[in-house]
Amino acid sequence: MKDHSLIIGLESRLLNAWPSFDYQAYDGWILRLADGYSKRANSATPFLPNATLDDALIDYMVARFVEANVRPTFRLNGLEATDVDERLKLRGFKDIEATHVLTAPISSEDCERDPEVVLEPQVSKRWVREAAGSYGGDKADDETLMKIVSRIRQKAAFATLSLDDRPVAWGLGVVERGYVGLYDIVVAPDLRGIGLGRRVVSSLMAWGCGEGAHTAYLQVREENEIARSLYGALGFGTAYRYTHRVMPGRSSSA
């Protein structure tokens, strides 16, 4: 049995912490557009339990995606009606990138920050350039990343970990109503697997603790077993899972 109140609570925080440029509401669905940078900011997501989706509404939202030059994507988080996934499948939408939303309680033991992780309350061009560069691929678009994170209205912390004066790991924390969301955790490609990401995550959780957060949350792809193992060791467990149904025929960023 899905906890709809938990899903809605986390989805609303996610929507605020990772802003899109355009929002449109359709019968229990929120369609978000952000120039195609990341699926979570460029998809239609249900925000009411048992949100329905008929062919006419699919056609209408697809047209909005096409107008914006964004690949039509439906992000299914468990709030949708039971027939929605099959309806999209029959329309040819492909099921890709299953993702877990993880949560972890924050205890008093989690509230000590790593002194080598620098936290800044405002985004800088350097943070965006370095974080986007370490992502690579479609996510190397630092201009669009800057536009997204500059729209955050909740209290935020932009983390940078340096080794010998070289920035090597980055992350973003956003606090809202007792939760701290962890986003854009990325490590320099040549230094992955040695615990740098864990240090950034722990420091952002400690910052969230200082801002009154009792729970941390983040998202990780189901296929990323290394990251899921890391987060499991930090006390994170799956709150719910979502998948994407995308219209085939165009490339798309994650």
Side-chain angles (χ1 to χ4, degrees), residues 2-193:
K2 296 184 178 69
D3 186 341
H4 287 167
S5 63
L6 175 63
I7 296 174
I8 292 171
L10 288 172
E11 287 287 320
S12 63
R13 289 172 173 85
L14 185 155
L15 182 148
N16 293 333
W18 194 256
S20 296
F21 309 149
D22 184 19
Y23 297 83
Q24 301 170 29
Y26 303 108
D27 300 342
W29 294 78
I30 300 293
L31 189 155
R32 307 174 64 200
L33 299 167
D35 294 344
Y37 189 96
S38 83
K39 288 185 181 62
R40 58 193 169 201
N42 294 272
S43 55
T45 300
F47 266 79
L48 289 177
N50 301 310
T52 59
L53 193 62
D54 59 21
D55 287 337
L57 185 53
I58 293 172
D59 290 340
Y60 193 85
M61 287 198 277
V62 164
R64 304 291 78 75
F65 281 114
V66 172
E67 287 171 0
N69 196 33
V70 170
R71 184 180 188 179
T73 301
F74 291 84
R75 185 173 162 277
L76 306 183
N77 58 18
L79 293 175
E80 70 279 353
T82 56
D83 66 332
V84 166
D85 185 61
E86 183 66 19
R87 184 181 293 273
L88 289 168
K89 178 181 178 181
L90 292 174
R91 290 281 299 260
F93 284 77
K94 303 300 182 184
D95 184 7
I96 65 170
E97 292 176 15
T99 300
H100 289 245
V101 178
L102 308 180
T103 60
I106 297 176
S107 69
S108 58
E109 297 176 354
D110 300 318
C111 296
E112 185 174 346
R113 284 165 49 176
D114 186 326
E116 294 186 335
V117 177
V118 176
L119 302 180
E120 298 176 303
Q122 303 292 333
V123 67
S124 66
K125 290 183 178 179
R126 178 180 179 180
W127 186 94
V128 168
R129 181 179 65 251
E130 293 172 346
S134 288
Y135 264 122
D138 291 336
K139 284 197 169 183
D141 181 0
D142 56 345
E143 181 178 352
T144 303
L145 177 57
M146 173 64 86
K147 288 172 64 178
I148 288 175
V149 298
S150 295
R151 294 171 66 90
I152 298 171
R153 297 295 176 258
Q154 282 67 35
K155 185 170 286 189
F158 295 86
T160 304
L161 170 60
S162 298
L163 297 180
D164 297 326
D165 295 324
R166 174 197 170 189
V168 294
W170 303 262
L172 165 63
V174 182
V175 165
E176 182 186 347
R177 294 176 289 144
Y179 285 76
V180 57
L182 309 179
Y183 297 85
D184 272 14
I185 307 299
V186 61
V187 176
D190 60 324
L191 291 173
R192 291 173 182 170

